[in-house]
Amino acid sequence: MQSSSNLFPVALISAERRGDLSEDVYRLKPGNSPDWSVEIAVTRLGMADDSAPRGVPVILLHGSFSNRRFWFSPKGLGLGAYLTRLGFDVWIPEMRGHGLSQRNEEYRRNRVADYARYDLPAIAAFVREQSGQVPHWIGHSLGGITLAAALGGEYLGEPAVASAAFFGTQVSRTYWPLKIPPLEWSGRFILKRFAQLSGSRLKRGPEDEPIGLAIESMRWYGLFGRFGDKDKDWWAGLADVQVPVLAVSAAGDHQDPTWACRKLFEQVGSEHKQFINLGREQGFHDNFGHVEMLVSKAAQAEVWPLVARWLSDQTSPLRGEKPDLAAAV
């Protein structure tokens, strides 16, 4: 089968119509990581009956225990569908072993370091090739952490990133037991006996997560841990990031609290960045939760329009009528 890309083998594995939208799924095999079995499924949304040129590309990164359906349901609902109908060129990757992306041979050892160093640059290259434009990126939770790692590690930069938006993203929450070396070592020893964490058993979502992610995060939060790998300090690297950045927290999010999300936001060195906390005290109709900040009727009414405004203009305050709601730097 002829490849859909001149960069590396790419196959169009599905082309469906979802109401007024088209849903094309590509399987990328970039071959740029030590595990050559890695394949990444990337969904491209478009208007089924519209032959006009596509708009600005936007890449949506799902969080842990999730897949592309976080952004786009089979009934054509979700932020991805919303942005597509506004004219944006929407791309939704699924991380290794999630959704339509098959589990690679070294699945249990997958880490954010692998996603950031190998997978996101390959996705960026393919989207740029197909669209002819530099994409905007939006990451939720672990998707945002992966995006932050790619930026801080200089695996992605301005040639591949027009702007970056982080929803419910932080790496600063303290887990005190992990600060005690014997407890951390014991935790790692126990976790290494498993291949994955079950999203359904933990009631966290429809997908499993490789145990490598859990072990990696334990190192970040350990006594002498840092947000990075053995080669690079991603946290320090965020200070050199200059692309426009939007960081959004939710007042009702107990998993990724506002103070921790703001800490990541403040570490980013960009001159053009904004921070928004979704809560009643900030003028929103509800204290949004970790998932509800992007997947809910309230998000559809209050958050999605903010996202669209951000993608159209990264220089104007999103909540300009109340400056205290958005910290524009």
Side-chain angles (χ1 to χ4, degrees):
M1 180 181 295
Q2 185 175 2
S3 176
S4 299
S5 170
N6 293 318
L7 300 170
F8 38 72
V10 175
L12 177 64
I13 60 175
S14 175
E16 302 288 343
R17 184 183 181 116
R18 304 289 184 184
D20 60 330
L21 303 178
S22 63
E23 180 189 48
D24 298 334
V25 182
Y26 296 89
R27 184 179 63 230
L28 283 56
K29 193 166 185 178
N32 63 341
S33 70
D35 185 348
W36 286 76
S37 68
V38 171
E39 296 181 351
I40 307 166
V42 181
T43 298
R44 187 183 197 181
L45 300 181
M47 300 304 299
D49 298 319
D50 191 351
S51 59
R54 297 177 187 257
V56 177
V58 181
I59 299 175
L60 306 178
L61 301 176
H62 64 76
S64 58
F65 302 101
S66 188
N67 54 41
R68 63 184 177 143
R69 293 308 181 197
F70 181 85
W71 304 107
F72 170 65
S73 76
K75 294 183 178 180
L77 302 175
L79 177 60
Y82 172 82
L83 294 176
T84 301
R85 294 186 177 107
L86 289 180
F88 293 99
D89 185 11
V90 175
W91 298 78
I92 310 175
E94 293 178 289
M95 294 299 99
R96 305 176 181 194
H98 293 71
L100 299 176
S101 295
Q102 297 182 357
R103 293 192 177 189
N104 52 305
E105 291 181 1
E106 298 295 324
Y107 168 80
R108 71 186 312 272
R109 294 184 174 88
N110 288 341
R111 305 166 300 155
V112 165
D114 301 313
Y115 302 160
R117 176 176 291 185
Y118 306 116
D119 300 350
L120 263 57
I123 293 165
F126 179 63
V127 171
R128 287 190 65 194
E129 178 194 47
Q130 298 299 307
S131 68
Q133 302 183 68
V134 179
H136 298 269
W137 295 72
I138 299 175
H140 175 251
S141 193
L142 183 62
I145 291 175
T146 303
L147 179 57
L151 291 170
E154 297 182 332
Y155 309 124
L156 288 179
E158 291 187 33
V161 182
S163 73
F166 303 96
F167 282 78
T169 301
Q170 62 85 26
V171 291
S172 299
R173 185 178 176 185
T174 301
Y175 299 91
W176 290 111
L178 297 180
K179 301 295 184 182
I180 304 174
L183 292 181
E184 181 194 358
W185 300 334
S186 299
R188 287 194 194 187
F189 176 78
I190 294 172
L191 286 176
K192 287 180 179 180
R193 300 173 58 188
F194 301 91
Q196 71 270 333
L197 298 174
S198 172
S200 58
R201 289 184 179 180
L202 296 174
K203 298 182 179 180
R204 295 291 302 275
E207 300 283 345
D208 297 337
E209 289 296 341
I211 207 66
L213 287 181
I215 295 173
E216 180 184 41
S217 64
M218 289 183 69
R219 188 182 70 251
W220 297 345
Y221 297 116
L223 183 59
F224 300 107
R226 68 175 188 179
F227 181 54
D229 61 10
K230 63 180 182 180
D231 298 318
K232 289 190 176 183
D233 185 337
W234 306 332
W235 182 261
L238 287 173
D240 297 324
V241 172
Q242 292 302 315
V243 301
V245 165
L246 171 66
V248 181
S249 65
D253 186 351
H254 302 294
Q255 175 178 324
D256 297 301
T258 295
W259 69 266
C261 294
R262 180 177 282 278
K263 191 170 183 179
L264 184 141
F265 163 80
E266 292 174 346
Q267 178 65 15
V268 176
S270 175
E271 295 182 2
H272 301 287
K273 60 181 182 178
Q274 298 186 51
F275 185 89
I276 294 177
N277 184 28
L278 304 174
R280 294 190 188 96
E281 292 186 2
Q282 289 73 32
F284 294 92
H285 292 148
D286 196 5
N287 286 331
F288 287 81
H290 185 67
V291 173
E292 292 77 15
M293 68 192 308
L294 285 167
V295 182
S296 65
K297 290 185 178 180
Q300 181 176 353
E302 297 187 86
V303 182
W304 295 0
L306 289 178
V307 175
R309 286 175 55 193
W310 165 258
L311 294 173
S312 299
D313 180 7
Q314 293 85 49
T315 60
S316 300
L318 295 180
R319 302 281 289 179
E321 72 281 9
K322 294 182 180 180
D324 59 309
L325 304 187
V329 179

